[in-house]
Amino acid sequence: MSHTDEHSGRPDEGCAGCSDEAQARHHGRRFTPDEQELAEAGAPCGTVGVAVAVHPGGAPGGHPAGVPMTRQRHGGARSTGFRPGGGPQALAYEERTGIKAPRIIAWEITRSCNLSCVHCRAAAEFGHYEGELTLDQIKTVIDDIVTISNPIFILTGGEPLMRPDIWEIVDYVHEKGGMPVIGTNATMITDEIAGKMASHGIPRISVSIDFPTAEGHDTFRGQPGCFEQTIEGIKIAKRHGVGVQINTTVTTRNAEYLEEIHTLAESLGVDAFHIFMLVPTGRGAEILAEELPPQEYERVLEWAYERQKTSPLHFKPTDAPHYYRIIRQLAKKEGRKVTREEYGLDAMTRGCLGGITFCFISHTGDIQPCGYFDMQLGNVKEQPFSRIWTESKVFNDLRDYSLLKGKCGACEYKAVCGGCRARSLEITGDYLEAEPYCIYEPTGWKPTS
């Protein structure tokens, strides 16, 4: 894969025989995930794709983020650097198969964790988990993935910093032309660890903060003192030049504190703030009653729309497909059009990307559309990732929006929303059924009795 010019994104000549990482060193710059390129990740039915966010350590294995950038209006961001899934292998793969290559892969490199968060998709605990992929197995999978794409790899868990060979994994991703980022709870970050992040080319970490004070956060995370440890970890990472994104999982426990958490994120000088709407899988299924009621869910997303207008951070909702309907409805009321120039990434976002340009790999090698989507579509120990991505019936179903059922299938916003397929699977047993938490009635939709 060639260099890209940091401002235009166009390929430049590069240095013959050098890896991208080496070229970056030669030219005195670092490659960084490119949120605009993520936003341009193509999707079927004439739509365009979405910038996605790095999931927190110990939280749902989900969608990734970029890096500090010049802010556009309405919470968007202009981009530089790395072009995930834009290399020659990805282009050749799409031409050959008609399928988009994965641009972002969330990889649970370990399920071990030093915390026990109540909402954790992985239901992770401290200790060893049988069957975790070895370093050699991980390298073999990377070797296969890069034959079809050059994605961003979100190294998550569990707590990925508990894996002793994480820096070897990071280096191998760089060597093969991908981009590693880390989802961590930040409680283990020391000057030594942050220094390794910087020296091994980690441009950004994502860190979960779910309350603005220690009392609520420590209870939610299952560990007294972890709030202060997390705040300190963020500060250390920033001192070493590592970008930080704060993620907040929204439940009935903390919805009223979102403004305060945003203020905390600003005060810490982080780069991004992403709110994640709870999907009740894993340990999160145990707090199903704390998932926001549909009307409140809608209200929070409307708050996010208004708050994006003034936020100095790259701010966006994640795991909230409805949001991309809501911004179009609210913009229309304001007499505005949702354009790239006015709305940045939000103008190019589709809500659900599972199986389209994103997927999840578990600690044992199972492939899922996302970390919430509790269905294993194959295992990389048994067949190549590239084959699963190409041939899985479920993946191919998710890529065909015409298969959506009920009011999702009839909805005029299905190309930009699509509903949460994981929530449909969890609640109805059918991943193509209508999104259970959506209150919108599509134009002309007549529900059956």
Side-chain angles (χ1 to χ4, degrees):
M1 184 182 70
S2 69
H3 263 137
T4 56
D5 177 270
E6 291 189 305
H7 300 288
S8 70
R10 293 187 299 270
D12 64 28
E13 293 180 356
C15 306
C18 291
S19 68
D20 285 346
E21 186 182 17
Q23 292 180 39
R25 287 196 299 268
H26 293 172
H27 291 274
R29 68 191 190 215
R30 277 166 69 180
F31 279 90
T32 53
D34 183 335
E35 293 196 58
Q36 198 68 49
E37 289 300 321
L38 293 180
E40 293 168 356
C45 299
T47 67
V48 290
V50 58
V52 291
V54 177
H55 266 278
H63 314 306
V67 294
M69 300 167 188
T70 303
R71 184 176 175 272
Q72 284 183 193
R73 288 180 291 275
H74 208 87
R78 296 194 187 278
S79 63
T80 60
F82 187 73
R83 299 166 64 93
Q89 295 89 344
L91 297 176
Y93 172 78
E94 184 177 356
E95 184 175 351
R96 183 173 70 251
T97 65
I99 298 170
K100 296 289 183 184
R103 288 185 173 242
I104 303 162
I105 297 173
W107 198 331
E108 179 188 63
I109 60 171
T110 182
R111 185 161 281 196
S112 296
C113 189
N114 59 327
L115 301 182
S116 185
C117 306
V118 297
H119 68 295
C120 180
R121 171 210 53 77
E125 302 281 359
F126 187 85
H128 177 68
Y129 285 82
E130 293 294 330
E132 287 194 346
L133 296 174
T134 66
L135 177 60
D136 285 343
Q137 287 172 326
I138 286 175
K139 288 182 176 181
T140 298
V141 176
I142 293 171
D143 288 343
D144 175 59
I145 290 171
V146 299
T147 65
I148 65 168
S149 188
N150 57 316
I152 290 174
F153 289 86
I154 308 171
L155 305 180
T156 183
E159 171 48 62
L161 294 178
M162 293 187 70
R163 181 147 181 154
D165 55 7
I166 184 172
W167 308 116
E168 293 177 78
I169 296 171
V170 166
D171 289 346
Y172 200 73
V173 170
H174 276 303
E175 179 184 334
K176 294 298 179 176
M179 172 55 67
V181 295
I182 292 176
T184 173
N185 60 49
T187 62
M188 297 178 66
I189 296 178
T190 61
D191 277 301
E192 180 184 3
I193 293 294
K196 286 184 176 180
M197 288 178 176
S199 65
H200 288 267
I202 295 295
R204 176 174 286 188
I205 60 173
S206 67
V207 180
S208 289
I209 294 181
D210 297 303
F211 287 83
T213 61
E215 181 180 6
H217 181 87
D218 290 357
T219 299
F220 199 67
R221 294 280 153 181
Q223 181 66 48
C226 71
F227 180 79
E228 295 301 330
Q229 292 173 334
T230 294
I231 297 298
E232 182 61 20
I234 289 172
K235 292 177 178 178
I236 293 171
K238 285 185 58 60
R239 285 203 302 267
H240 285 265
V242 178
V244 178
Q245 172 181 311
I246 285 179
N247 295 336
T248 296
T249 299
V250 184
T251 68
T252 56
R253 296 192 194 192
N254 65 356
E256 64 184 294
Y257 301 114
L258 289 177
E259 185 64 49
E260 294 176 57
I261 300 170
H262 184 281
T263 299
L264 174 62
E266 283 191 68
S267 71
L268 291 170
V270 301
D271 307 295
F273 176 61
H274 290 222
I275 58 173
F276 288 71
M277 309 307 287
L278 176 69
V279 180
T281 61
R283 195 179 288 124
E286 299 175 14
I287 58 170
L288 177 60
E290 296 180 23
E291 187 173 26
L292 293 178
Q295 292 285 354
E296 182 68 5
Y297 189 107
E298 196 97 349
R299 186 199 67 77
V300 167
L301 295 179
E302 290 176 355
W303 167 82
Y305 175 85
E306 295 299 330
R307 193 64 181 88
Q308 275 191 319
K309 295 176 180 178
T310 57
S311 176
L313 307 175
H314 177 240
F315 174 27
K316 71 181 290 291
T318 301
D319 298 333
H322 314 60
Y323 182 66
Y324 306 103
R325 161 182 55 84
I326 288 171
I327 64 170
R328 285 159 176 81
Q329 292 174 311
L330 296 181
K332 185 176 181 180
K333 288 181 180 179
E334 297 169 348
R336 304 166 71 187
K337 291 184 178 180
V338 180
T339 63
R340 174 172 175 165
E341 291 73 24
E342 182 67 19
Y343 282 78
L345 299 179
D346 286 341
M348 301 173 287
T349 292
R350 184 178 195 267
C352 180
L353 284 178
I356 298 170
T357 54
F358 175 84
C359 74
F360 172 81
I361 304 177
S362 81
H363 66 299
T364 58
D366 287 330
I367 305 296
Q368 300 173 206
C370 77
Y372 293 121
F373 197 109
D374 193 18
M375 183 183 291
Q376 289 69 50
L377 310 185
N379 189 286
V380 296
K381 294 176 183 176
E382 299 167 1
Q383 53 186 317
F385 172 95
S386 57
R387 180 177 176 185
I388 299 169
W389 179 262
T390 305
E391 298 179 2
S392 164
K393 179 184 184 301
V394 174
F395 277 156
N396 283 299
D397 283 351
L398 295 174
R399 294 163 189 158
D400 184 352
Y401 307 160
S402 71
L403 297 178
L404 293 175
K405 300 177 182 178
K407 68 178 184 178
C408 279
C411 187
E412 63 269 32
Y413 292 104
K414 67 181 177 182
V416 295
C417 171
C420 177
R421 298 298 98 215
R423 186 181 283 109
S424 293
L425 176 64
E426 181 71 18
I427 294 177
T428 74
D430 184 347
Y431 56 84
L432 294 173
E433 265 297 348
E435 156 70 69
Y437 256 58
C438 182
I439 66 172
Y440 178 68
E441 294 291 333
T443 302
W445 166 247
K446 294 180 180 180
T448 57
S449 57

